[in-house]
Amino acid sequence: MRVLIVTSGSTGDVAPYTGLGERLQAAGHEVTIATHEPFRDSVTLPFVPIPGDLREILRRAPGQDGRSSGTGPRALVRLLRIARPLVAEMGDGIAAAAERIRAEAMLLSTVVAPLGYQVAEAAGIPWAGVFLQPVFPTGDFGPVLLGGRSAGRLGNRLLGHLTEASARPLYRGPVRDLRDRLGLPRKPLRRLQGEQQQRWPTFHGFSPSVVPRPADWPPSQEVVGYWWPARPAGWAPPAEVEEFLAAGPPPVFIGFGSMAPGYGARLAGPVLQAVRAAGVRAIVQAGWSGLRAEDDPAVLNVDSLPHDWLFPRVAAVVHHAGAGTTAAALRAGVPAVPVPVSADQPFWARRLHALGVAPPPIPLPRLTAPRLAAALRAATTSPALRERSAAMAGRLRTEDGAARIIAWLDAL
């Protein structure tokens, strides 16, 4: 079957689908990934570009400067407003990708799903959501995009539906225009959402050991387990990284992924001070922020490295708590120090602490050298954190998140 996987976002929103795609390919399906052009080199499967680049949006998103909060209703409304041009230009790109490969099924990530549903309907082919976050309303926890803090079961469900409604203006115009171009009848977006969201399944790519499937979800919403990123073909670790790892005790990893673009210089001071105060060695990853610590024999600055190779070799992982990096740290079985910035990150940060594999989160606006140093000491010296992290990694090794999707495609 010719399968089109469509996703939009940052590296963490693309990498899991490379591994999922390779598993589907190994099962006999023809798989193409459609996402933004900057990710072409990181995708080994057939690739089709769609318009847009999240980096332009993130520079203007709330919370990225580390001075103000990137979470809460106001921050979410502002983020949705900033994202409007990106959403508006993706619809035609998704339609062109589906037509180009003559797709027979579509797998759609959270951001692109409302557009992809229309393309799949027009083509008369099945679709499924492949979501990295539990965004469907539930009473079990608060809305993920508002941080996940609970307001009680009734309050959680109400806030979940309000959050869902707040995103509709972002898609209303683009979906209407796309349906017009595809020759589909106009329908209110809320009605379309009710019809399309549950017509085919939505598979959630995280472990039920990390977030149990809410009991009040409809049968269409499934939690299947993580999809692990594919390692680049022929990749070998840089010699300087292997030498640094061998030169002393396991270092900590510090990286903020796609967060704080352009603010690396501001982060460098507190990071280096914390590393020195905690008495640890560190591997510091530049990411989109350009984070680089000054010359220090206890610190190695690096660019992108496969997390599945690096994280098992470190003592702890300081990260922004994006869904992908959170999964990688859990898989490695090492404690985390979550420094959430925006969107779903506070939700994952709270989950890590609740699971007992991380000290309390440090939101980026509250990141200081003393706070980070204290968290580093806790993460690297607590036997309980390390034992629970290892136990969680053991549970994840028993799961196969791709198997359920392979079975669904085979059943088609």
Side-chain angles (χ1 to χ4, degrees):
M1 178 172 282
R2 290 185 297 275
V3 181
L4 179 65
I5 301 176
V6 190
T7 185
S8 170
S10 65
T11 302
D13 300 301
V14 175
Y17 301 112
T18 64
L20 174 60
E22 290 198 359
R23 284 291 310 281
L24 300 184
Q25 186 180 61
H29 299 285
E30 299 176 34
V31 183
T32 300
I33 293 183
T35 189
H36 308 303
E37 182 64 39
F39 297 110
R40 180 186 290 270
D41 291 342
S42 64
V43 176
T44 56
L45 293 164
F47 176 92
V48 177
I50 59 175
D53 186 344
L54 187 68
R55 285 175 291 191
E56 298 303 318
I57 292 174
L58 281 178
R59 290 190 178 95
R60 297 180 287 125
Q64 299 298 319
D65 59 2
R67 294 174 176 171
S68 60
S69 174
T71 59
R74 290 183 180 179
L76 177 60
V77 169
R78 184 180 169 195
L79 180 61
L80 293 174
R81 189 183 305 122
I82 294 170
R84 191 166 294 162
L86 173 65
V87 171
E89 65 183 348
M90 285 196 299
D92 287 342
I94 297 170
E99 183 177 7
R100 176 175 170 180
I101 73 161
R102 295 177 293 120
E104 296 173 306
M106 293 178 65
L107 301 177
L108 306 164
S109 74
T110 313
V111 172
V112 304
L115 300 168
Y117 295 155
Q118 320 314 319
V119 174
E121 180 184 325
I125 60 176
W127 65 82
V130 281
F131 291 4
L132 302 178
Q133 303 87 4
V135 294
F136 198 91
T138 175
D140 287 9
F141 42 78
V144 169
L145 295 180
L146 294 182
R149 193 183 297 277
S150 180
R153 293 198 63 81
L154 181 60
N156 290 341
R157 280 194 291 269
L158 176 61
L159 286 172
H161 288 294
L162 288 173
T163 301
E164 195 174 58
S166 72
R168 288 194 191 110
L170 176 65
Y171 291 96
R172 186 172 288 116
V175 166
R176 181 192 61 235
D177 296 343
L178 181 60
R179 287 182 69 85
D180 285 348
R181 290 191 289 273
L182 293 172
L184 296 171
R186 287 192 176 186
K187 293 182 181 181
L189 183 57
R190 183 174 182 178
R191 179 181 166 189
L192 277 174
Q193 189 175 40
E195 292 176 353
Q196 295 174 333
Q197 195 174 47
Q198 298 187 49
R199 181 175 173 185
W200 296 99
T202 295
F203 303 113
H204 292 82
F206 50 79
S207 170
S209 295
V210 178
V211 181
R213 182 188 180 278
D216 57 357
W217 272 7
S220 62
Q221 307 296 306
E222 301 185 32
V223 176
V224 299
Y226 286 112
W227 308 308
W228 302 116
R231 189 180 294 183
W235 183 85
E240 64 173 357
V241 178
E242 290 196 301
E243 291 168 3
F244 183 80
L245 290 169
V252 298
F253 169 90
I254 302 175
F256 302 104
S258 57
M259 294 296 101
Y263 291 100
R266 180 177 297 170
L267 293 169
V271 164
L272 185 58
Q273 293 169 31
V275 167
R276 290 170 174 168
V280 296
R281 302 193 315 140
I283 292 178
V284 175
Q285 188 176 60
W288 288 8
S289 72
L291 174 64
R292 295 190 71 83
E294 65 184 61
D295 289 341
D296 187 302
V299 177
L300 177 67
N301 293 293
V302 299
D303 292 316
S304 179
L305 292 171
H307 289 168
D308 70 310
W309 178 84
L310 179 60
F311 285 3
R313 292 167 167 79
V314 303
V317 178
V318 180
H319 62 82
H320 59 299
T325 313
T326 295
L330 288 169
R331 184 188 192 188
V334 295
V337 176
V339 183
V341 182
S342 64
D344 60 324
Q345 296 160 17
F347 171 81
W348 295 116
R350 289 194 179 98
R351 287 303 302 157
L352 291 173
H353 181 52
L355 291 168
V357 300
I362 308 173
L364 185 62
R366 299 185 59 210
L367 182 67
T368 63
R371 286 194 180 106
L372 182 55
L376 284 172
R377 283 191 288 267
T380 55
T381 62
S382 168
L385 286 178
R386 181 159 291 279
E387 289 168 7
R388 285 191 286 264
S389 298
M392 177 59 71
R395 288 196 290 274
L396 297 188
R397 282 194 290 271
T398 68
E399 299 174 358
D400 183 357
R404 175 67 183 94
I405 300 175
I406 293 171
W408 178 74
L409 288 171
D410 290 346
L412 292 176

